[in-house]
Amino acid sequence: MDQQLINLESMKDTGNQAFKDGKLIDAERLFIEVIEAIEYIDEPIEFFPIYMAAINNLCAVYLKLEKYNFVCEYSTKSLLKDDKNLKAYYRRAVAKKHLLEYEDALLDVECILQCETQNKQALELKSSITQIQSQNRSARNHIKQLENTGTYIEKPMKPFPEPKPEPTEESTAFKNRTFSYKGQPGGS
């Protein structure tokens, strides 16, 4: 059991280094291997810190890879084990923002701010989300006003113009032909 713990810790550390080196696919693979190995252990309590670190780090990888659904999945998995994991709330909130699930993102941000009222990242994220929501409301209201006044007419897009045909060898040769006359250079 001790050797297994050392091996999994080493694999997690290798994943961390791969992440730092920008080798995100390698980091993803290593973190998943650690998580899956620990999930199959009968008494995983001594592996809990490694397990949580691997899940949190995998979420960081998925954020970088813009795999937002996976960020949500693994952050939720982490929060089911430890509902005080602020990193998991933050990463899930960022992912929810990118998935345009603003209300859910704000709920996660509020969980962070309940624990750390001055958390700078959470406050910035909250501000960003509320600003987007405000802009969306303004745009919807503007469209409603235009619809109510009859000035908003949804116009179909104009089709793109047909592309010009590529020149053929014959047309290029014809354009590039040269004429020469007797007594001039190139003539007979």
Side-chain angles (χ1 to χ4, degrees):
M1 193 70 105
D2 290 335
Q3 187 59 44
Q4 190 175 18
L5 183 64
I6 292 168
N7 291 344
L8 290 170
E9 181 76 40
S10 174
M11 195 180 301
K12 178 192 65 81
D13 292 342
T14 304
N16 289 342
Q17 189 59 50
F19 181 82
K20 289 176 189 173
D21 293 342
K23 298 175 181 174
L24 300 178
I25 302 304
D26 292 339
E28 174 189 22
R29 179 184 51 78
L30 289 161
F31 293 138
I32 288 173
E33 285 180 26
V34 170
I35 292 164
E36 288 177 350
I38 294 172
E39 286 176 345
Y40 289 104
I41 295 172
D42 288 334
E43 299 287 329
I45 193 71
E46 63 189 272
F47 295 93
F48 186 74
I50 298 170
Y51 179 79
M52 294 304 289
I55 286 182
N56 285 328
N57 296 346
L58 181 59
C59 289
V61 168
Y62 284 143
L63 272 179
K64 290 261 189 195
L65 293 172
E66 298 179 3
K67 293 182 176 183
Y68 302 119
N69 287 321
F70 287 123
V71 175
C72 293
E73 177 186 338
Y74 281 93
S75 294
T76 300
K77 194 174 202 175
S78 174
L79 289 165
L80 290 172
K81 302 278 186 191
D82 176 12
D83 66 351
K84 302 283 188 243
N85 187 336
L86 301 184
K87 282 184 180 181
Y89 281 115
Y90 179 78
R91 289 178 177 144
R92 189 170 70 178
V94 170
K96 294 284 187 180
K97 176 187 171 192
H98 286 285
L99 293 170
L100 310 180
E101 298 175 12
Y102 302 122
E103 294 301 322
D104 289 341
L106 285 175
L107 289 173
D108 283 341
V109 169
E110 289 304 321
C111 288
I112 297 167
L113 294 174
Q114 284 177 1
C115 295
E116 295 180 5
T117 57
Q118 297 304 310
N119 184 303
K120 185 178 178 183
Q121 287 181 311
L123 290 169
E124 288 173 358
L125 184 58
K126 181 179 181 178
S127 174
S128 169
I129 294 168
T130 55
Q131 183 178 6
I132 291 168
Q133 287 179 313
S134 175
Q135 290 169 346
N136 287 349
R137 275 191 297 277
S138 294
R140 282 192 302 270
N141 290 338
H142 184 67
I143 289 170
K144 282 182 185 176
Q145 285 176 337
L146 293 172
E147 287 174 337
N148 291 338
T149 61
T151 55
Y152 177 76
I153 300 171
E154 194 169 320
K155 296 180 182 178
M157 287 182 55
K158 292 181 182 178
F160 291 107
E162 289 293 320
K164 294 181 180 178
E166 293 292 320
T168 63
E169 282 186 40
E170 291 174 354
S171 67
T172 305
F174 181 77
K175 285 182 186 177
N176 295 333
R177 71 182 186 272
T178 58
F179 297 97
S180 59
Y181 300 97
K182 288 184 178 180
Q184 293 185 353
S188 355

